[in-house]
Amino acid sequence: MNDKQLVAVQAAQYVQSGMLVGLGTGSTANYFIEALAHRQRDEGLSITTVASSTVSAIKAQLFNLPIVALEHISSIDLYVDGADEITPDKTLLKGRGSDLVKEKLLAKAATQFIAVAEASKLVSHIGQNFSIPIEVMPFAWQLAKKNLEDIGGVGDLRPNAAKDGFWVTSHGSYVLEMSFDKNLDEHTLNARINNTPGVVEHGIFINLASTVLIAQESVIRELKR
Ligand code: 5RP
C-alpha cells in the first residue's frame, strides 16, 4: 500500500454503522471511498454517503455505496478528504480541483472531519507551495482581483486544461490563484478574502479539521485538535 492508501484505510476505521459519511475529492479521497466500500462489503457496515463532487459520487455509485444529495442534508457524522497543504495548527489549503465549495460545506457540516495526506503536504504556512484558489463569480473576476491585489495578492485566473480559456468550477465560477505575503497570518488572510465582494469561496480551511492523519514511509501519525 502507498502512503495515500494507508491513511485512507486508517480513516475508514473511524466509520461506524449508521453514520452519514461525507466523501472528499482527489486521489486520497478515492482510496477512502474504496476502503469504505470494502468495509461495507466485508463487514456489512450500514452507512449512507454524500459526495463533494460528481467524480466522487460516480465512484461511490460504482462501489454500491448508498448516496444522498447534498441539498437533502443538514449535518453529517464524518467527513474525510485530502488536502494540498497542512499547517501545524491544522489549517488546510484545498481546492486544486473544482469542488471546494462543496468540500467546505461538508467539512463544516461534519461532527468530525478527518484530513488525510502524505507528509509532503505538511507546511509551515498556508501558501508555501501553492497559491490560494479563490472562486469568484465570472462577472466579478476583475473587480475581485483588483480588491485582492489591494490586500497584497498577486496572481491571475486559473487557465483551463487546454490553456485556451479559463477554468470553470462545477458550479460555474472562475478561479483566481493568488499568492500573498507569507507574513500575513492565515486568520487575517481568511477574513480579508471572505470580505471581498464577488468571492464565492476559497481554499483556506481554518478550524475545520478535527483530526489529521499523516503517512510517511508507511508510518501513520495522528494529529488531533
Ligand atoms: C481537491 C482537494 C484535494 O483533496 C487535494 O487537492 C488533495 O488531493 P490528493 O489527495 O489527490 O493529493 O482539495 O479540491
Side-chain angles (χ1 to χ4, degrees):
M1 263 193 227
N2 65 39
D3 280 346
K4 286 188 182 203
Q5 209 170 352
L6 213 59
V7 275
V9 168
Q10 177 75 13
Q13 293 303 316
Y14 285 73
V15 179
Q16 292 169 10
S17 258
M19 279 187 167
L20 175 55
V21 182
L23 309 174
T25 299
S27 55
T28 322
N30 279 342
Y31 284 127
F32 172 74
I33 296 171
E34 286 173 25
L36 199 54
H38 289 156
R39 284 202 64 200
Q40 177 181 252
R41 188 195 59 201
D42 300 342
E43 301 170 33
L45 201 66
S46 168
I47 43 152
T48 308
T49 64
V50 54
S52 60
S53 64
T54 306
V55 171
S56 296
I58 290 171
K59 193 155 176 88
Q61 279 176 322
L62 271 178
F63 282 99
N64 296 318
L65 287 169
I67 188 157
V68 291
L70 192 77
E71 42 272 70
H72 296 152
I73 60 137
S74 52
S75 66
I76 62 174
D77 298 297
L78 175 67
Y79 181 53
V80 176
D81 201 354
D84 300 313
E85 294 184 344
I86 303 171
T87 68
D89 73 354
K90 296 177 205 60
T91 297
L92 314 178
L93 183 69
K94 291 184 49 56
R96 200 176 34 80
S98 304
D99 300 288
L100 72 83
V101 176
K102 283 187 181 166
E103 290 174 352
K104 202 178 268 191
L105 281 167
L106 288 175
K108 181 81 181 169
T111 305
Q112 195 182 7
F113 169 23
I114 305 177
V116 281
E118 333 91 290
S120 61
K121 306 290 182 68
L122 295 174
V123 294
S124 62
H125 65 272
I126 288 297
Q128 184 173 311
N129 297 331
F130 294 99
S131 46
I132 319 289
I134 303 171
E135 278 204 31
V136 291
M137 291 175 186
F139 57 80
W141 78 267
Q142 190 125 230
L143 287 169
K145 184 181 171 203
K146 166 80 175 60
N147 285 323
L148 291 165
E149 283 169 349
D150 288 347
I151 57 166
V154 177
D156 221 327
L157 286 174
R158 180 187 287 181
N160 65 6
K163 305 258 186 283
D164 58 1
F166 300 113
W167 185 278
V168 178
T169 69
S170 43
H171 21 243
S173 307
Y174 283 167
V175 178
L176 286 166
E177 299 200 302
M178 307 292 286
S179 301
F180 295 85
D181 183 343
K182 71 176 171 55
N183 295 317
L184 196 59
D185 78 276
E186 58 222 24
H187 290 269
T188 308
L189 192 53
N190 180 53
R192 289 186 184 170
I193 300 174
N194 284 343
N195 201 30
T196 303
V199 167
V200 178
E201 196 46 89
H202 62 84
I204 304 174
F205 284 43
I206 289 191
N207 290 338
L208 290 173
S210 40
T211 301
V212 173
L213 296 179
I214 296 290
Q216 186 166 25
E217 292 168 8
S218 304
V219 176
I220 298 179
R221 251 185 314 145
E222 182 180 302
L223 320 173
K224 277 204 175 288
R225 185 132 52 94

